[in-house]
């Protein structure tokens, strides 16, 4: 499918729901970042902006990227309203065509899934190469589908964190896998619905 189709899909998805007034960070992010010194972070697929805003509140300088202009504009406005406009740079990127510039101490990609063609391995490899020495790439994927998720179906498969790492194919002399597991949590969806879901968590650190 075309870039236009993908942009329209995600713009329509965000436009169809009210802007989030208080988006929350993902649990896997907060547990990973705890204790790390603030630096430069990149949030790939920032969505409503909970991760970017939380990181900025912790002192990080955040570049937040999403394919949806609706999501990007809402995040920029929310950051300004919270006095974080100087710490959050929201940019529209179709990761099939462009990647944010710069070097980063932390890059997070939470649930970077799409019904459209996306070479995720190439995107995540670009992310790993954008890390500074000592920087970390946090990839959190769905290990199961919540009842309200768009990616339902009997043929949906969830690659393990080790499979994702193998697909990125990074030189172990330069990058180290620090975490690869599948914890469970209680997720909250539209209308306050809850369900137990599995996350696939991959954490890679650039060592050289």
């Amino acid at each position: 499918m075309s870039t236009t189709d993908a942009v329209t899909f995600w713009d329509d998805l965000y436009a169809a729901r009210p802007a989030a007034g208080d988006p929350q960070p993902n649990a896997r992010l907060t547990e990973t970042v705890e204790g790390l010194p603030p630096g430069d972070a990149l949030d790939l697929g920032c969505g409503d902006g909970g991760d970017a805003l939380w990181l900025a509140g912790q002192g990080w300088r955040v570049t937040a990227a999403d394919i949806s202009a609706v999501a990007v504009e809402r995040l920029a406005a929310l950051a300004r309203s919270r006095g974080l406009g100087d710490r959050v740079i929201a940019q529209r990127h179709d990761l099939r065509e462009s990647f944010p510039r710069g070097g980063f101490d932390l890059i997070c990609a939470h649930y970077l899934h799409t019904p459209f063609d996306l070479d995720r391995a190439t995107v995540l490899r670009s992310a790993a190469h954008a890390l500074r020495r000592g920087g970390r790439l946090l990839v959190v994927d769905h290990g199961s589908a919540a009842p309200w998720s768009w990616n339902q179906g009997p043929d949906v498969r969830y690659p393990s964190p080790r499979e994702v790492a193998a697909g990125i194919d990074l030189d172990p002399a330069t990058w180290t896998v620090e975490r690869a597991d599948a914890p469970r949590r209680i997720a909250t969806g539209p209308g306050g619905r809850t369900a137990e879901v599995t996350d696939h968590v991959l954490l890679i650190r650039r060592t050289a």
Side-chain angles (χ1 to χ4, degrees):
M1 296 184 183
S2 70
T3 295
T4 301
D5 291 334
V7 171
T8 299
F9 175 87
W10 290 108
D11 276 344
D12 287 351
L13 185 146
Y14 284 104
R17 65 193 193 200
D22 187 25
Q24 296 300 301
N26 285 291
R28 306 308 170 202
L29 174 68
T30 59
E31 69 188 21
T32 299
V33 170
E34 185 178 7
L36 294 180
D40 294 303
L42 171 61
D43 183 8
L44 294 174
C46 61
D48 290 323
D51 290 341
L53 293 169
W54 182 83
L55 285 167
Q58 302 299 308
W60 292 76
R61 297 174 297 274
V62 186
T63 299
D66 202 280
I67 191 174
S68 169
V70 176
V72 166
E73 290 165 5
R74 285 179 174 179
L75 172 54
L78 196 51
R80 289 192 297 270
S81 73
R82 295 187 176 192
L84 297 171
D86 60 337
R87 290 196 169 273
V88 177
I89 300 173
Q91 300 177 345
R92 199 197 77 80
H93 285 274
D94 181 343
L95 295 174
R96 295 177 298 180
E97 299 181 348
S98 64
F99 193 89
R101 295 181 179 180
F104 302 95
D105 304 292
L106 173 71
I107 299 177
C108 53
H110 278 80
Y111 314 113
L112 193 62
H113 304 289
T114 176
F116 300 90
D117 292 334
L118 176 66
D119 187 346
R120 279 201 353 140
T122 295
V123 171
L124 296 177
R125 193 175 302 115
S126 295
H129 281 274
L131 291 172
R132 295 174 179 144
R133 183 174 180 180
R136 290 171 170 85
L137 169 62
L138 174 64
V139 182
V140 183
D141 291 335
H142 292 301
S144 65
W148 55 82
S149 177
W150 57 264
N151 57 339
Q152 304 285 348
D155 297 327
V156 176
R157 184 178 177 277
Y158 305 98
S160 72
R162 290 288 179 184
E163 287 178 289
V164 174
I168 304 174
D169 192 26
L170 297 172
D171 184 348
T174 304
W175 292 271
T176 299
V177 174
E178 291 193 325
R179 179 178 180 183
D181 59 3
R184 301 185 67 81
R185 63 181 171 87
I186 300 299
T188 302
R193 297 171 64 190
T194 61
E196 186 177 58
V197 297
T198 299
D199 288 327
H200 283 173
V201 182
L202 174 65
L203 182 64
I204 295 171
R205 182 167 62 93
R206 185 165 191 165
T207 56

